[in-house]
Amino acid sequence: MAGTITGAMGYNSKVEGNIVLTTLDAAVNWMRKNSLWPMPMGLACCAIELMASASSRFDIARFGAEVMRFSPRQSDLMIVAGTVTYKMALATKRIWDQMAEPKWCIAMGACASTGGMYRSYAVLQGIDHLVPVDVYVSGCPPRPEAVLEALMTLQDKIARSRGVVLNQKQAA
Amino acid sequence: MSTATTTMEFGDTLARTAEMAPQLDVGEKLVLNIGPSHPSTHGVLRLVLELDGEVITKADTDVGYLHRGDEKIAENMTWNQFVPYTDRLDYLAPLANNVAYTCAVEKLMGYDLPPRAKVTRVICCELARISAHLLGLGAFAMDVGAMTMFLYTFTEREKIYNLIELLTGARFTTSFTRVGGQTRDLPPGFLDGVKEFSEQFMGKLDEFGKMLNRNRIFVDRTKDIGVISSTAALDFGLTGPNLRGSGNDYDVRKYFPYLGYETYDFEVPVGQTGDCYDRFAVRMEEMRQSVKILLQAVAKMPGGPWMVSDPKSILPPKDKVLTKMEELIHQFIVVTQGPDAPPGEVYFGAENPKGELGFYLNSRGGGVPHRLKIRAPSFCNLGILNTLLPGHTVSDVPAILGSIDFVMGECDR
Amino acid sequence: MSEAAADSSADLVAAVKILPEFRGETSWEVPKERLVELMTALKKEGMTYLVDITAVDNQGEDPRFEVVYELCDLSSRKHLRVKTRAAEGEPVPSVCSVWKGADWHEREAWDMVGVKFSGHPDLRRILMWDGYPHHPLRKDFPLEGLPTEMPDIAFTAKAPLEGGPFVTSPAPFSHEREPRAHPAEERSL
Ligand code: SF4
């Protein structure tokens, strides 16, 4: 976006064309959406496709989301990839609670979205019972392309969000 | 507790632990919880370790975070409907699971597969083995600090995925086999693809070997770590590369041959000391042997039918279903009620990448199992952790877990 | 094999019932009181590899549960199945002292089917969490589960099964075996 500003005193023709005016919202959103650090909640088979989307052929780094952090405190996007069982459910919730705001969640695959093919006594029927989900990805497992698409959808959503400053005031 | 670490001698870990137990039992203990969400646990394994300084004095392995109720689901499904669930057991090698499961059902039914189906299944199993070992290798190397390996192995895996996609239409939830055969015949170009892959893969494997064999960090972190003696391995029911790394040559493909494995020329690699490095080396060599089997299978692929013909229990060909009345009725009955299995019980074990994947089927007749038990190799392999980990330091844990190479989907079912 | 067990004790052999062979597999049945004795003898005879332990719920039969041991002799490449029966609440002696690997298998059988093993060093649940009140693989436990609650550890709810996976139930007649939708009262979470 903006280049370096040299010679700050008075009018400087070099500055012209190097400044972009925008709203604070748009600037902050732009930064947020292009540096999503995912927390890969790799629970089951879908995690393998998540790994595939992070590695050589699909390369999630093109969307600025290659920094997989296994520490919830360093990440802002939780990708729930896999079957959430009841035994795991509250642990997942706890990890979500430990993530700092602002945070987003992608439910990857049929299991994380709805319980998928596991209609049984041991499986939570969708992570949205516990955690607010921003993007659902269908498929069992979704192809890596679908994961990237979900990431782009989420980026659009972040770009459209408003009231960054207001929210922080309210939170304080 | 510095004395404890300095007097350690490498050898049989179990014996070492027993010997060190009195020394370890002093000082204040720290309880460390690892998992269920931790990068080195490859999924959702939880370890509760009791530490004395850096040394583990007691380990408690907690599994079940991915228990999805597969066995209960199986009791409510017809034999063929359960095939997709087997994909999700060991999700690194779904084709091999499909094959193992349907072979078990076929044993119950008393079918003998036509030769083309057998060779096709051998190709499936070996492709799956290579793909699973590759991921295991990449993850293992990453756990002990060699990130690049992971990217290299994934490049190769993508090539296998392409082949599998050509064959089944899916990248890894394949659901390829059915009781009595496969869903479809080999697509054109598949065998050439397998051959091409196998030929270039040998070179890649050498490259991988070079990257790790003489990598000082890798060798130091894996040699003489996590030693499992041959008797302990057998006593705990370890199978697969973990057992063979300890010098025991049990391989189901050799001991109880199925799918005509006795007609292929391949060797079973065994390790000597049973440490993490040996298990890694066994996997590397196994991939070489798999390539050998693949090339033989491609060369001898026979023609002819690829399904057992038994109209009462086997899905009829689709074109006949659409044009003939009788086939339509059979199709309806087989799909809604399941293939009619005789009452009885069988156990069938197959050599999967992780070890012996067995199915115990208890049938009361009819289209649904009365009890279906999955003997999951990862479950049995993890059973040794409680005994294996004490005496090691915390930094050895990722190396040991990586070398045991388990999949929680299969362990917890 | 049977003569091998014979020289250890003749009446042990008498206690073993040899079941008819099916698909080339040998199965023995033994009363649970003699189980450990038999297993120890078998292990000495070369059955060093315990493949698996399965518990089966035959609801409606007496005794209700069946525990199935799959053994393997690696040197002579033989497979053997040993079965024993236990009524509800009756413990089966543990074979952990014979094979260490039996530990987790027995815990699983206890967790899933609810067969107790006497003499097991640490009989806890393994796949479900401690404190879960049911044994899911019992025939009277529904696939969709039952609601339970354990604050801070886990909860369960009933899974909605309507229109879910095909569900057929075993029955002698084909019209009863057809897959059916579940009745309306079962359809809410
Ligand atoms: S959606 Fe399918 S692939 Fe993904 S975790 Fe569930 S069963 Fe596995």
Side-chain angles (χ1 to χ4, degrees), chain C residues 163-184:
Chain C
F166 270 110
V167 175
T168 66
S169 38
F173 300 108
S174 60
H175 64 273
E176 293 168 26
R177 271 193 267 147
E178 272 173 30
R180 270 162 214 283
H182 286 256

mmCIF file with all atom_site columns, all heavy atoms in Angstrom, chain C residues 163-184:
data_model
loop_
_atom_site.group_PDB
_atom_site.id
_atom_site.type_symbol
_atom_site.label_atom_id
_atom_site.label_alt_id
_atom_site.label_comp_id
_atom_site.label_asym_id
_atom_site.label_entity_id
_atom_site.label_seq_id
_atom_site.pdbx_PDB_ins_code
_atom_site.Cartn_x
_atom_site.Cartn_y
_atom_site.Cartn_z
_atom_site.occupancy
_atom_site.B_iso_or_equiv
_atom_site.pdbx_formal_charge
_atom_site.auth_seq_id
_atom_site.auth_comp_id
_atom_site.auth_asym_id
_atom_site.auth_atom_id
_atom_site.pdbx_PDB_model_num
ATOM 1   N N   . GLY C 1 163 ? -33.799 -39.915 8.848  1.00 0.00 ? 163 GLY C N   1
ATOM 2   C CA  . GLY C 1 163 ? -33.175 -39.727 7.552  1.00 0.00 ? 163 GLY C CA  1
ATOM 3   C C   . GLY C 1 163 ? -31.682 -39.920 7.579  1.00 0.00 ? 163 GLY C C   1
ATOM 4   O O   . GLY C 1 163 ? -30.993 -39.680 6.609  1.00 0.00 ? 163 GLY C O   1
ATOM 5   N N   . GLY C 1 164 ? -31.152 -40.369 8.706  1.00 0.00 ? 164 GLY C N   1
ATOM 6   C CA  . GLY C 1 164 ? -29.717 -40.527 8.864  1.00 0.00 ? 164 GLY C CA  1
ATOM 7   C C   . GLY C 1 164 ? -29.218 -41.717 8.078  1.00 0.00 ? 164 GLY C C   1
ATOM 8   O O   . GLY C 1 164 ? -29.734 -42.006 7.005  1.00 0.00 ? 164 GLY C O   1
ATOM 9   N N   . PRO C 1 165 ? -28.218 -42.404 8.577  1.00 0.00 ? 165 PRO C N   1
ATOM 10  C CA  . PRO C 1 165 ? -27.738 -43.553 7.825  1.00 0.00 ? 165 PRO C CA  1
ATOM 11  C C   . PRO C 1 165 ? -28.840 -44.598 7.754  1.00 0.00 ? 165 PRO C C   1
ATOM 12  O O   . PRO C 1 165 ? -29.693 -44.670 8.627  1.00 0.00 ? 165 PRO C O   1
ATOM 13  C CB  . PRO C 1 165 ? -26.559 -44.047 8.653  1.00 0.00 ? 165 PRO C CB  1
ATOM 14  C CG  . PRO C 1 165 ? -26.753 -43.457 10.001 1.00 0.00 ? 165 PRO C CG  1
ATOM 15  C CD  . PRO C 1 165 ? -27.514 -42.202 9.821  1.00 0.00 ? 165 PRO C CD  1
ATOM 16  N N   . PHE C 1 166 ? -28.787 -45.368 6.713  1.00 0.00 ? 166 PHE C N   1
ATOM 17  C CA  . PHE C 1 166 ? -29.721 -46.478 6.592  1.00 0.00 ? 166 PHE C CA  1
ATOM 18  C C   . PHE C 1 166 ? -29.663 -47.314 7.842  1.00 0.00 ? 166 PHE C C   1
ATOM 19  O O   . PHE C 1 166 ? -28.583 -47.676 8.288  1.00 0.00 ? 166 PHE C O   1
ATOM 20  C CB  . PHE C 1 166 ? -29.305 -47.382 5.436  1.00 0.00 ? 166 PHE C CB  1
ATOM 21  C CG  . PHE C 1 166 ? -29.901 -46.994 4.144  1.00 0.00 ? 166 PHE C CG  1
ATOM 22  C CD1 . PHE C 1 166 ? -29.107 -46.464 3.152  1.00 0.00 ? 166 PHE C CD1 1
ATOM 23  C CD2 . PHE C 1 166 ? -31.252 -47.177 3.914  1.00 0.00 ? 166 PHE C CD2 1
ATOM 24  C CE1 . PHE C 1 166 ? -29.649 -46.104 1.942  1.00 0.00 ? 166 PHE C CE1 1
ATOM 25  C CE2 . PHE C 1 166 ? -31.797 -46.820 2.701  1.00 0.00 ? 166 PHE C CE2 1
ATOM 26  C CZ  . PHE C 1 166 ? -30.998 -46.295 1.713  1.00 0.00 ? 166 PHE C CZ  1
ATOM 27  N N   . VAL C 1 167 ? -30.751 -47.620 8.414  1.00 0.00 ? 167 VAL C N   1
ATOM 28  C CA  . VAL C 1 167 ? -30.716 -48.466 9.585  1.00 0.00 ? 167 VAL C CA  1
ATOM 29  C C   . VAL C 1 167 ? -31.580 -49.682 9.329  1.00 0.00 ? 167 VAL C C   1
ATOM 30  O O   . VAL C 1 167 ? -32.770 -49.573 9.073  1.00 0.00 ? 167 VAL C O   1
ATOM 31  C CB  . VAL C 1 167 ? -31.210 -47.713 10.829 1.00 0.00 ? 167 VAL C CB  1
ATOM 32  C CG1 . VAL C 1 167 ? -31.276 -48.639 12.002 1.00 0.00 ? 167 VAL C CG1 1
ATOM 33  C CG2 . VAL C 1 167 ? -30.257 -46.587 11.119 1.00 0.00 ? 167 VAL C CG2 1
ATOM 34  N N   . THR C 1 168 ? -30.964 -50.839 9.373  1.00 0.00 ? 168 THR C N   1
ATOM 35  C CA  . THR C 1 168 ? -31.727 -52.060 9.241  1.00 0.00 ? 168 THR C CA  1
ATOM 36  C C   . THR C 1 168 ? -31.566 -52.823 10.535 1.00 0.00 ? 168 THR C C   1
ATOM 37  O O   . THR C 1 168 ? -30.614 -52.616 11.264 1.00 0.00 ? 168 THR C O   1
ATOM 38  C CB  . THR C 1 168 ? -31.198 -52.938 8.113  1.00 0.00 ? 168 THR C CB  1
ATOM 39  O OG1 . THR C 1 168 ? -29.894 -53.381 8.475  1.00 0.00 ? 168 THR C OG1 1
ATOM 40  C CG2 . THR C 1 168 ? -31.129 -52.196 6.815  1.00 0.00 ? 168 THR C CG2 1
ATOM 41  N N   . SER C 1 169 ? -32.507 -53.656 10.829 1.00 0.00 ? 169 SER C N   1
ATOM 42  C CA  . SER C 1 169 ? -32.335 -54.460 12.032 1.00 0.00 ? 169 SER C CA  1
ATOM 43  C C   . SER C 1 169 ? -32.379 -55.929 11.653 1.00 0.00 ? 169 SER C C   1
ATOM 44  O O   . SER C 1 169 ? -33.099 -56.319 10.737 1.00 0.00 ? 169 SER C O   1
ATOM 45  C CB  . SER C 1 169 ? -33.412 -54.125 13.051 1.00 0.00 ? 169 SER C CB  1
ATOM 46  O OG  . SER C 1 169 ? -34.616 -53.893 12.386 1.00 0.00 ? 169 SER C OG  1
ATOM 47  N N   . PRO C 1 170 ? -31.563 -56.733 12.332 1.00 0.00 ? 170 PRO C N   1
ATOM 48  C CA  . PRO C 1 170 ? -31.522 -58.147 11.978 1.00 0.00 ? 170 PRO C CA  1
ATOM 49  C C   . PRO C 1 170 ? -32.844 -58.817 12.315 1.00 0.00 ? 170 PRO C C   1
ATOM 50  O O   . PRO C 1 170 ? -33.386 -58.606 13.394 1.00 0.00 ? 170 PRO C O   1
ATOM 51  C CB  . PRO C 1 170 ? -30.377 -58.692 12.828 1.00 0.00 ? 170 PRO C CB  1
ATOM 52  C CG  . PRO C 1 170 ? -30.181 -57.715 13.919 1.00 0.00 ? 170 PRO C CG  1
ATOM 53  C CD  . PRO C 1 170 ? -30.681 -56.391 13.447 1.00 0.00 ? 170 PRO C CD  1
ATOM 54  N N   . ALA C 1 171 ? -33.365 -59.537 11.391 1.00 0.00 ? 171 ALA C N   1
ATOM 55  C CA  . ALA C 1 171 ? -34.621 -60.244 11.614 1.00 0.00 ? 171 ALA C CA  1
ATOM 56  C C   . ALA C 1 171 ? -34.698 -61.392 10.623 1.00 0.00 ? 171 ALA C C   1
ATOM 57  O O   . ALA C 1 171 ? -34.092 -61.334 9.558  1.00 0.00 ? 171 ALA C O   1
ATOM 58  C CB  . ALA C 1 171 ? -35.800 -59.292 11.427 1.00 0.00 ? 171 ALA C CB  1
ATOM 59  N N   . PRO C 1 172 ? -35.442 -62.417 10.949 1.00 0.00 ? 172 PRO C N   1
ATOM 60  C CA  . PRO C 1 172 ? -35.487 -63.562 10.035 1.00 0.00 ? 172 PRO C CA  1
ATOM 61  C C   . PRO C 1 172 ? -36.196 -63.254 8.717  1.00 0.00 ? 172 PRO C C   1
ATOM 62  O O   . PRO C 1 172 ? -35.859 -63.830 7.690  1.00 0.00 ? 172 PRO C O   1
ATOM 63  C CB  . PRO C 1 172 ? -36.219 -64.628 10.831 1.00 0.00 ? 172 PRO C CB  1
ATOM 64  C CG  . PRO C 1 172 ? -36.910 -63.911 11.933 1.00 0.00 ? 172 PRO C CG  1
ATOM 65  C CD  . PRO C 1 172 ? -36.147 -62.677 12.205 1.00 0.00 ? 172 PRO C CD  1
ATOM 66  N N   . PHE C 1 173 ? -37.163 -62.380 8.728  1.00 0.00 ? 173 PHE C N   1
ATOM 67  C CA  . PHE C 1 173 ? -37.924 -62.145 7.497  1.00 0.00 ? 173 PHE C CA  1
ATOM 68  C C   . PHE C 1 173 ? -37.495 -60.872 6.807  1.00 0.00 ? 173 PHE C C   1
ATOM 69  O O   . PHE C 1 173 ? -37.204 -59.864 7.449  1.00 0.00 ? 173 PHE C O   1
ATOM 70  C CB  . PHE C 1 173 ? -39.425 -62.085 7.807  1.00 0.00 ? 173 PHE C CB  1
ATOM 71  C CG  . PHE C 1 173 ? -39.927 -63.345 8.410  1.00 0.00 ? 173 PHE C CG  1
ATOM 72  C CD1 . PHE C 1 173 ? -40.270 -63.402 9.750  1.00 0.00 ? 173 PHE C CD1 1
ATOM 73  C CD2 . PHE C 1 173 ? -40.007 -64.512 7.646  1.00 0.00 ? 173 PHE C CD2 1
ATOM 74  C CE1 . PHE C 1 173 ? -40.707 -64.582 10.306 1.00 0.00 ? 173 PHE C CE1 1
ATOM 75  C CE2 . PHE C 1 173 ? -40.436 -65.690 8.210  1.00 0.00 ? 173 PHE C CE2 1
ATOM 76  C CZ  . PHE C 1 173 ? -40.792 -65.731 9.544  1.00 0.00 ? 173 PHE C CZ  1
ATOM 77  N N   . SER C 1 174 ? -37.517 -60.939 5.478  1.00 0.00 ? 174 SER C N   1
ATOM 78  C CA  . SER C 1 174 ? -36.940 -59.823 4.743  1.00 0.00 ? 174 SER C CA  1
ATOM 79  C C   . SER C 1 174 ? -37.736 -58.541 4.921  1.00 0.00 ? 174 SER C C   1
ATOM 80  O O   . SER C 1 174 ? -37.170 -57.458 4.957  1.00 0.00 ? 174 SER C O   1
ATOM 81  C CB  . SER C 1 174 ? -36.828 -60.175 3.270  1.00 0.00 ? 174 SER C CB  1
ATOM 82  O OG  . SER C 1 174 ? -38.109 -60.457 2.768  1.00 0.00 ? 174 SER C OG  1
ATOM 83  N N   . HIS C 1 175 ? -39.053 -58.644 5.062  1.00 0.00 ? 175 HIS C N   1
ATOM 84  C CA  . HIS C 1 175 ? -39.802 -57.387 5.175  1.00 0.00 ? 175 HIS C CA  1
ATOM 85  C C   . HIS C 1 175 ? -39.483 -56.680 6.490  1.00 0.00 ? 175 HIS C C   1
ATOM 86  O O   . HIS C 1 175 ? -39.592 -55.473 6.596  1.00 0.00 ? 175 HIS C O   1
ATOM 87  C CB  . HIS C 1 175 ? -41.307 -57.620 5.038  1.00 0.00 ? 175 HIS C CB  1
ATOM 88  C CG  . HIS C 1 175 ? -41.902 -58.456 6.133  1.00 0.00 ? 175 HIS C CG  1
ATOM 89  N ND1 . HIS C 1 175 ? -41.922 -59.824 6.071  1.00 0.00 ? 175 HIS C ND1 1
ATOM 90  C CD2 . HIS C 1 175 ? -42.449 -58.124 7.319  1.00 0.00 ? 175 HIS C CD2 1
ATOM 91  C CE1 . HIS C 1 175 ? -42.491 -60.297 7.182  1.00 0.00 ? 175 HIS C CE1 1
ATOM 92  N NE2 . HIS C 1 175 ? -42.807 -59.288 7.949  1.00 0.00 ? 175 HIS C NE2 1
ATOM 93  N N   . GLU C 1 176 ? -39.063 -57.451 7.490  1.00 0.00 ? 176 GLU C N   1
ATOM 94  C CA  . GLU C 1 176 ? -38.682 -56.803 8.748  1.00 0.00 ? 176 GLU C CA  1
ATOM 95  C C   . GLU C 1 176 ? -37.276 -56.215 8.664  1.00 0.00 ? 176 GLU C C   1
ATOM 96  O O   . GLU C 1 176 ? -36.906 -55.348 9.450  1.00 0.00 ? 176 GLU C O   1
ATOM 97  C CB  . GLU C 1 176 ? -38.713 -57.813 9.905  1.00 0.00 ? 176 GLU C CB  1
ATOM 98  C CG  . GLU C 1 176 ? -40.109 -58.295 10.235 1.00 0.00 ? 176 GLU C CG  1
ATOM 99  C CD  . GLU C 1 176 ? -40.068 -59.495 11.159 1.00 0.00 ? 176 GLU C CD  1
ATOM 100 O OE1 . GLU C 1 176 ? -39.094 -59.637 11.903 1.00 0.00 ? 176 GLU C OE1 1
ATOM 101 O OE2 . GLU C 1 176 ? -41.026 -60.295 11.100 1.00 0.00 ? 176 GLU C OE2 1
ATOM 102 N N   . ARG C 1 177 ? -36.492 -56.731 7.725  1.00 0.00 ? 177 ARG C N   1
ATOM 103 C CA  . ARG C 1 177 ? -35.109 -56.283 7.642  1.00 0.00 ? 177 ARG C CA  1
ATOM 104 C C   . ARG C 1 177 ? -34.956 -55.017 6.816  1.00 0.00 ? 177 ARG C C   1
ATOM 105 O O   . ARG C 1 177 ? -33.901 -54.425 6.771  1.00 0.00 ? 177 ARG C O   1
ATOM 106 C CB  . ARG C 1 177 ? -34.251 -57.378 7.023  1.00 0.00 ? 177 ARG C CB  1
ATOM 107 C CG  . ARG C 1 177 ? -33.709 -58.335 8.040  1.00 0.00 ? 177 ARG C CG  1
ATOM 108 C CD  . ARG C 1 177 ? -32.644 -59.185 7.419  1.00 0.00 ? 177 ARG C CD  1
ATOM 109 N NE  . ARG C 1 177 ? -33.189 -60.419 6.896  1.00 0.00 ? 177 ARG C NE  1
ATOM 110 C CZ  . ARG C 1 177 ? -32.720 -61.027 5.821  1.00 0.00 ? 177 ARG C CZ  1
ATOM 111 N NH1 . ARG C 1 177 ? -31.733 -60.508 5.148  1.00 0.00 ? 177 ARG C NH1 1
ATOM 112 N NH2 . ARG C 1 177 ? -33.243 -62.151 5.414  1.00 0.00 ? 177 ARG C NH2 1
ATOM 113 N N   . GLU C 1 178 ? -36.004 -54.608 6.141  1.00 0.00 ? 178 GLU C N   1
ATOM 114 C CA  . GLU C 1 178 ? -35.873 -53.437 5.293  1.00 0.00 ? 178 GLU C CA  1
ATOM 115 C C   . GLU C 1 178 ? -35.538 -52.209 6.118  1.00 0.00 ? 178 GLU C C   1
ATOM 116 O O   . GLU C 1 178 ? -36.030 -52.032 7.224  1.00 0.00 ? 178 GLU C O   1
ATOM 117 C CB  . GLU C 1 178 ? -37.197 -53.185 4.560  1.00 0.00 ? 178 GLU C CB  1
ATOM 118 C CG  . GLU C 1 178 ? -37.263 -53.934 3.264  1.00 0.00 ? 178 GLU C CG  1
ATOM 119 C CD  . GLU C 1 178 ? -38.622 -53.816 2.641  1.00 0.00 ? 178 GLU C CD  1
ATOM 120 O OE1 . GLU C 1 178 ? -39.276 -52.792 2.848  1.00 0.00 ? 178 GLU C OE1 1
ATOM 121 O OE2 . GLU C 1 178 ? -39.028 -54.768 1.947  1.00 0.00 ? 178 GLU C OE2 1
ATOM 122 N N   . PRO C 1 179 ? -34.714 -51.320 5.557  1.00 0.00 ? 179 PRO C N   1
ATOM 123 C CA  . PRO C 1 179 ? -34.367 -50.123 6.308  1.00 0.00 ? 179 PRO C CA  1
ATOM 124 C C   . PRO C 1 179 ? -35.585 -49.238 6.500  1.00 0.00 ? 179 PRO C C   1
ATOM 125 O O   . PRO C 1 179 ? -36.414 -49.094 5.613  1.00 0.00 ? 179 PRO C O   1
ATOM 126 C CB  . PRO C 1 179 ? -33.327 -49.429 5.427  1.00 0.00 ? 179 PRO C CB  1
ATOM 127 C CG  . PRO C 1 179 ? -33.284 -50.153 4.163  1.00 0.00 ? 179 PRO C CG  1
ATOM 128 C CD  . PRO C 1 179 ? -34.065 -51.396 4.261  1.00 0.00 ? 179 PRO C CD  1
ATOM 129 N N   . ARG C 1 180 ? -35.704 -48.694 7.660  1.00 0.00 ? 180 ARG C N   1
ATOM 130 C CA  . ARG C 1 180 ? -36.883 -47.908 7.975  1.00 0.00 ? 180 ARG C CA  1
ATOM 131 C C   . ARG C 1 180 ? -36.494 -46.590 8.613  1.00 0.00 ? 180 ARG C C   1
ATOM 132 O O   . ARG C 1 180 ? -35.463 -46.487 9.250  1.00 0.00 ? 180 ARG C O   1
ATOM 133 C CB  . ARG C 1 180 ? -37.734 -48.666 8.988  1.00 0.00 ? 180 ARG C CB  1
ATOM 134 C CG  . ARG C 1 180 ? -38.738 -49.571 8.364  1.00 0.00 ? 180 ARG C CG  1
ATOM 135 C CD  . ARG C 1 180 ? -39.206 -50.580 9.379  1.00 0.00 ? 180 ARG C CD  1
ATOM 136 N NE  . ARG C 1 180 ? -39.478 -51.840 8.716  1.00 0.00 ? 180 ARG C NE  1
ATOM 137 C CZ  . ARG C 1 180 ? -40.555 -52.088 8.008  1.00 0.00 ? 180 ARG C CZ  1
ATOM 138 N NH1 . ARG C 1 180 ? -41.470 -51.170 7.871  1.00 0.00 ? 180 ARG C NH1 1
ATOM 139 N NH2 . ARG C 1 180 ? -40.736 -53.249 7.426  1.00 0.00 ? 180 ARG C NH2 1
ATOM 140 N N   . ALA C 1 181 ? -37.373 -45.609 8.495  1.00 0.00 ? 181 ALA C N   1
ATOM 141 C CA  . ALA C 1 181 ? -37.187 -44.359 9.235  1.00 0.00 ? 181 ALA C CA  1
ATOM 142 C C   . ALA C 1 181 ? -37.542 -44.624 10.689 1.00 0.00 ? 181 ALA C C   1
ATOM 143 O O   . ALA C 1 181 ? -38.317 -45.517 10.999 1.00 0.00 ? 181 ALA C O   1
ATOM 144 C CB  . ALA C 1 181 ? -38.085 -43.277 8.660  1.00 0.00 ? 181 ALA C CB  1
ATOM 145 N N   . HIS C 1 182 ? -36.967 -43.852 11.550 1.00 0.00 ? 182 HIS C N   1
ATOM 146 C CA  . HIS C 1 182 ? -37.249 -44.060 12.963 1.00 0.00 ? 182 HIS C CA  1
ATOM 147 C C   . HIS C 1 182 ? -38.577 -43.438 13.353 1.00 0.00 ? 182 HIS C C   1
ATOM 148 O O   . HIS C 1 182 ? -38.988 -42.451 12.760 1.00 0.00 ? 182 HIS C O   1
ATOM 149 C CB  . HIS C 1 182 ? -36.120 -43.475 13.790 1.00 0.00 ? 182 HIS C CB  1
ATOM 150 C CG  . HIS C 1 182 ? -34.909 -44.318 13.717 1.00 0.00 ? 182 HIS C CG  1
ATOM 151 N ND1 . HIS C 1 182 ? -34.507 -45.140 14.736 1.00 0.00 ? 182 HIS C ND1 1
ATOM 152 C CD2 . HIS C 1 182 ? -34.035 -44.522 12.707 1.00 0.00 ? 182 HIS C CD2 1
ATOM 153 C CE1 . HIS C 1 182 ? -33.448 -45.794 14.354 1.00 0.00 ? 182 HIS C CE1 1
ATOM 154 N NE2 . HIS C 1 182 ? -33.128 -45.437 13.134 1.00 0.00 ? 182 HIS C NE2 1
ATOM 155 N N   . PRO C 1 183 ? -39.255 -43.987 14.336 1.00 0.00 ? 183 PRO C N   1
ATOM 156 C CA  . PRO C 1 183 ? -40.535 -43.411 14.737 1.00 0.00 ? 183 PRO C CA  1
ATOM 157 C C   . PRO C 1 183 ? -40.395 -41.970 15.222 1.00 0.00 ? 183 PRO C C   1
ATOM 158 O O   . PRO C 1 183 ? -39.326 -41.557 15.668 1.00 0.00 ? 183 PRO C O   1
ATOM 159 C CB  . PRO C 1 183 ? -41.005 -44.322 15.874 1.00 0.00 ? 183 PRO C CB  1
ATOM 160 C CG  . PRO C 1 183 ? -39.837 -45.152 16.251 1.00 0.00 ? 183 PRO C CG  1
ATOM 161 C CD  . PRO C 1 183 ? -38.946 -45.205 15.073 1.00 0.00 ? 183 PRO C CD  1
ATOM 162 N N   . ALA C 1 184 ? -41.500 -41.235 15.111 1.00 0.00 ? 184 ALA C N   1
ATOM 163 C CA  . ALA C 1 184 ? -41.450 -39.787 15.327 1.00 0.00 ? 184 ALA C CA  1
ATOM 164 C C   . ALA C 1 184 ? -40.894 -39.411 16.696 1.00 0.00 ? 184 ALA C C   1
ATOM 165 O O   . ALA C 1 184 ? -40.152 -38.441 16.820 1.00 0.00 ? 184 ALA C O   1
ATOM 166 C CB  . ALA C 1 184 ? -42.847 -39.202 15.151 1.00 0.00 ? 184 ALA C CB  1
#
